Amino acid sequence: KDLCLDAVDSHALASFWGRAMGRTVEDTNDGGYAVKPAAEAGEHMWVDPVPEPRSVKTRVHLDLRLPDADPAPLIEAGALLVSEPAGEQRWWVLADPDGNLFCAMPPAPPEWGAPAVEVPTPFELVVDCADAATIARWWAERTGGEAHTREGSPYWWIQGAEGFPFYAWVFNEVPEPKTVKNLMHWDVSLAPGAQTPAALVDAGATMLREPDDEIRWWVLADPEGNEFCAFLPD
C-alpha cells in the first residue's frame, strides 16, 4: 500500500525525499508529512515524527534507479555519500539526513528492457533478515507474489505481489539480529471483504496494536519481527 518512515525531524526528512525524487511534499497536520507519489497509482511515503533517534543500521531501505551514472542530484538534495561502486558492488551507498542508508543504481542495461527514469526512482524495497528463504516465501504467500533466488545467493526476492509498486521486494540475509523497531516499514491493505487481519495472525503474524481512539489500523509484526500496518480494503 505505502511506505512509512519515522524521523525525529519529519519535516527535514520528508523535504529531502521530496527533493531527491522530484516529488511534492504535503503537511499532514499531525506532525508528519506525505511525500506524494510520482503517479496516481504509485506509493505514498509517510514521514512520521518519533522521539527516538536512529540507533542502529537501517534494516529496511530503498534502492533507487538513477537517470544516469551519477548520484550528484541525491547529494545536492542532502544525501551523504557512504561508498562508491567497487568490484562486484555496482552501486552507490548513501545516507539520508537522518542517517538511513539507501542504494543508488546506475541505469539498467538496455537488454533488461527496463524503462528509463528522469529522476531517481525507487525500484526495490530491501529488507535485512535472518532467513531470507522463509520470510520471502511467507510474504509471497500473503500477497500473491512469487519468491525467487539464485543458487548460492544470500537473498531472495518477490515479484508480482498484489499492489506492490516497485520492481522487486528483496529479502537479504544478514548475520546480525533485529534489535529495535524498524524506522521504515510498509503498510498493506487487507484482502477484499476482510474485516480484520485474522488471516495474517493465523499465518504467523503477531498483533502489536489494534484500532483505538488514535489509530484506525492494525499494527502487526511478521514472523521475523518486521513491523507493518494493515488497513481495511479501500
Side-chain angles (χ1 to χ4, degrees):
K1 175 178 168 63
D2 291 317
L3 289 176
C4 296
L5 186 56
D6 293 342
V8 172
D9 189 339
S10 56
H11 179 260
L13 194 56
S15 297
F16 162 77
W17 281 105
R19 291 192 302 270
M21 300 186 295
R23 300 187 183 184
T24 301
V25 176
E26 291 186 359
D27 189 337
T28 57
N29 298 314
D30 59 2
Y33 294 84
V35 183
K36 305 288 282 186
E40 186 175 346
E43 86 298 342
H44 281 75
M45 179 188 286
W46 304 96
V47 185
D48 299 316
V50 295
E52 66 274 11
R54 188 184 62 83
S55 58
V56 297
K57 171 182 171 287
T58 311
R59 288 184 70 87
V60 182
H61 74 263
L62 284 172
D63 287 348
L64 275 59
R65 182 70 71 190
L66 297 172
D68 52 47
D70 186 359
L74 295 169
I75 296 171
E76 292 168 2
L80 174 68
L81 180 62
V82 175
S83 66
E84 299 192 37
E88 294 184 358
Q89 178 182 310
R90 302 183 304 276
W91 55 87
W92 293 264
V93 178
L94 302 104
D96 69 19
D98 230 36
N100 303 299
L101 299 179
F102 65 97
C103 299
M105 309 285 185
E111 60 269 22
W112 289 11
V117 298
E118 296 182 358
V119 296
T121 301
F123 81 105
E124 290 181 334
L125 179 65
V126 183
V127 184
D128 287 350
C129 57
D131 185 340
T134 298
I135 197 63
R137 288 172 175 147
W138 191 88
W139 275 107
E141 290 172 4
R142 307 285 80 73
T143 60
E146 293 186 358
H148 306 271
T149 191
R150 295 186 179 93
E151 185 176 354
S153 171
Y155 61 87
W156 282 63
W157 72 93
I158 298 172
Q159 289 182 298
E162 181 69 23
F164 191 73
F166 310 131
Y167 172 74
W169 191 356
V170 180
F171 293 86
N172 182 47
E173 208 161 283
V174 297
E176 63 272 11
K178 182 178 183 292
T179 57
V180 299
K181 182 185 75 170
N182 290 336
L183 292 186
M184 177 179 279
H185 72 264
W186 51 92
D187 293 345
V188 300
S189 292
L190 297 178
Q195 296 300 307
T196 73
L200 290 166
V201 175
D202 290 344
T206 301
M207 180 67 68
L208 301 180
R209 183 177 178 182
E210 300 197 37
D212 53 33
D213 291 339
E214 295 181 353
I215 63 172
R216 59 182 177 82
W217 54 87
W218 293 265
V219 182
L220 302 101
D222 70 16
E224 283 220 357
N226 297 301
E227 300 84 2
F228 67 98
C229 296
F231 289 75
L232 288 173
D234 291 336

